Amino acid sequence: MSETLGLALGCLMAIALFLYTFWPENAFASQRQKTRLDYLEERKEQLYENLRDLNFEYRAGKYPEEDFREQRSQLENETAQLVAEMDHLERQA
């Protein structure tokens, strides 16, 4: 193999690797549009995780009981409203 051919193949391989590494994916085109129900589902998971974290921290002694009850009540109320809205949207669909 001649030196020129080797250099040309090396350059082609470098360009191919560069393009493979940095080629922008068309991720926006492949994503579907999120519905209100999708957003509510994500928020519900966040609220459940917050409740689990709050319970864990309370049991670890990081929260006074009064603060714990107030925080838990707020999270539970928000979760209940969210679940009610999700049920309403699912019945409409």
Side-chain angles (χ1 to χ4, degrees):
M1 185 160 42
S2 72
E3 197 173 302
T4 308
L5 183 59
L7 184 60
L9 288 175
C11 286
L12 284 175
M13 182 177 277
I15 291 170
L17 288 173
F18 180 82
L19 289 175
Y20 177 77
T21 304
F22 296 107
W23 190 263
E25 293 183 27
N26 198 359
F28 295 113
S30 64
Q31 291 180 350
R32 68 179 180 88
Q33 291 291 330
K34 285 188 177 181
T35 64
R36 174 78 176 151
L37 200 55
D38 293 332
Y39 285 113
L40 293 175
E41 185 67 37
E42 288 175 7
R43 181 66 184 142
K44 183 180 83 169
E45 292 303 317
Q46 289 173 342
L47 288 169
Y48 284 162
E49 185 174 336
N50 290 347
L51 279 166
R52 283 189 296 270
D53 291 345
L54 181 66
N55 285 326
F56 177 78
E57 290 179 1
Y58 172 70
R59 290 182 186 142
K62 295 181 180 181
Y63 269 97
E65 187 167 343
E66 184 177 309
D67 291 344
F68 166 72
R69 292 191 188 283
E70 182 180 327
Q71 279 280 41
R72 187 180 70 183
S73 176
Q74 289 175 357
L75 288 171
E76 287 174 345
N77 288 338
E78 186 177 348
T79 303
Q81 291 172 353
L82 188 131
V83 169
E85 185 178 350
M86 288 176 70
D87 287 342
H88 177 73
L89 289 173
E90 287 174 347
R91 275 188 254 127
Q92 286 182 341

